Amino acid sequence: MKSFFIGKYEISLPIIQGGMGVGVSMNNLASAVANEGGVGVISAAGIGLLYPQFKGNYMERCIAGLSEEIRKAREKSRGVIGINAMVALSNFADMVRTAIAEKADVIFAGAGLPLDLPSYLDKDSKTALVPIVSSARAARLICEKWLTNYGYLPDAMVVEGPKAGGHLGFKSNQIDDANFSLEHLIPEIVEVAGSYSHRKNIPVVAAGGIATGRDIAKFLELGAAAVQMGSIFVPTEECDASYEFKKVYLDSGEEDMRIIQSPVGMPGRAFDGEFIQSVAEGKEKPRSCPFHCIKTCDYTKSPYCIIKALYNAAKGNLKKGYAFASKNAYLADRISSVKEVIDNLKSDFYRFTTTS
């Protein structure tokens, strides 16, 4: 496994830990991955719910909470720490500004096109900007808009395929279509990134359903500089979610994976359970919206409140929430440390690359 750069930051281990909200990947998990040489990522989604003791309304607690999480991660690690902010968040701008002010190393932005992301930087900013895309068209559009409007190109691009957990940037009929597979997308987007190589090196990161060292080797061979992995880090001691949340990963099988329709307006992949069945029966309709966390969400038309569902699940109340997970998340069979996970990935990677 070779090191790679995101902007000025050299990453010795080509693994980015995916941002998982609400409350799943926070300072503890992010710092543990960063300490192993990868990129640790804090999810900004719903972070205000994690800090009810802070003053102010939900949006104000989100700002203070993100600042706190970045500071805590910094105290635990000297590695590369990033944040994940969904473009669909109503407070996307606040989360980006806060991350830059706190000198987060990287901002990963997906669930929408972050066309104005460079506008938040100032001349002293050291934060690298990485959009998350699901098509070559989106990658090209972002590069052109950023270059034309800000004279800036992405410091890397994460390509999230249809086997990812959580919200997917695909239509339901595209999820199992080989033409939209990650294997198909990576070479296309590597070509897009390469067309700007005279201006800037833009590493491409493969994401979605990557679960083994062999998977890593395959996508590096296709031209990716690194991979992003989320679900594999949930059943770890350092993951910030509750034991009950992690246990869902251990107790579920392939037959428990579901594609659901999220209130965000995107399909998503999750483990089935009591709450999802209750949603299907129309029993979870929200009566109000105290957060307005998603720009496009209209609670009067929404089948449930997604931020509450994800928060409840992470805290262990699976009767009132569910666990997002990638297609291969059911392979987990025990809770281990982040170091053990990464050591196993390295061993599998080298075993495969030396015998193939």
Side-chain angles (χ1 to χ4, degrees), residues 71-238:
R71 289 170 191 161
K72 286 179 178 178
R74 286 275 182 242
E75 290 171 1
K76 298 175 183 178
S77 175
R78 293 184 179 180
V80 177
I81 300 292
I83 72 128
N84 178 290
M86 297 194 301
V87 179
L89 291 174
S90 299
N91 62 352
F92 173 73
D94 283 344
M95 297 295 90
V96 169
R97 290 191 188 101
T98 301
I100 292 171
E102 292 294 338
K103 295 181 172 54
D105 298 319
V106 191
I107 293 173
F108 298 91
L113 297 177
L115 296 180
D116 68 343
L117 190 54
S119 70
Y120 297 97
L121 296 174
D122 57 46
K123 60 182 178 64
D124 297 320
S125 299
K126 298 180 180 179
T127 303
L129 306 180
V130 180
I132 301 172
V133 300
S134 297
S135 70
R137 181 176 176 273
R140 176 77 69 184
L141 177 61
I142 289 170
C143 287
E144 286 299 310
K145 289 287 187 181
W146 285 18
L147 192 57
T148 299
N149 296 334
Y150 309 106
Y152 196 98
L153 283 167
D155 295 294
M157 287 191 285
V158 173
V159 184
E160 198 162 84
K163 292 183 180 180
H167 295 114
L168 306 174
F170 301 88
K171 296 177 181 177
S172 295
N173 63 353
Q174 296 173 334
I175 292 172
D176 294 316
D177 186 333
N179 291 317
F180 297 93
S181 69
L182 188 58
E183 290 84 350
H184 188 86
L185 292 173
I186 288 296
E188 290 185 343
I189 297 174
V190 166
E191 184 177 351
V192 171
S195 69
Y196 296 95
S197 60
H198 61 292
R199 292 179 176 271
K200 188 174 189 177
N201 176 43
I202 307 174
V204 172
V205 179
I210 299 170
T212 65
R214 182 171 183 161
D215 292 340
I216 296 172
K218 176 175 67 174
F219 288 108
L220 296 187
E221 181 67 25
L222 287 172
V227 298
Q228 177 179 283
M229 309 177 81
S231 293
I232 198 169
F233 292 115
V234 171
T236 61
E237 296 158 3
E238 295 92 341

Side-chain angles (χ1 to χ4, degrees), residues 318-333:
L318 276 303
K319 291 185 177 181
K320 285 297 180 180
Y322 59 84
F324 273 144
S326 72
K327 188 174 178 64
N328 295 312
Y330 67 91
L331 295 172
D333 59 3

Side-chain angles (χ1 to χ4, degrees), residues 303-315:
Y304 61 95
C305 176
I306 187 168
I307 193 173
K308 283 185 178 179
L310 296 178
Y311 172 78
N312 287 336
K315 289 298 183 183

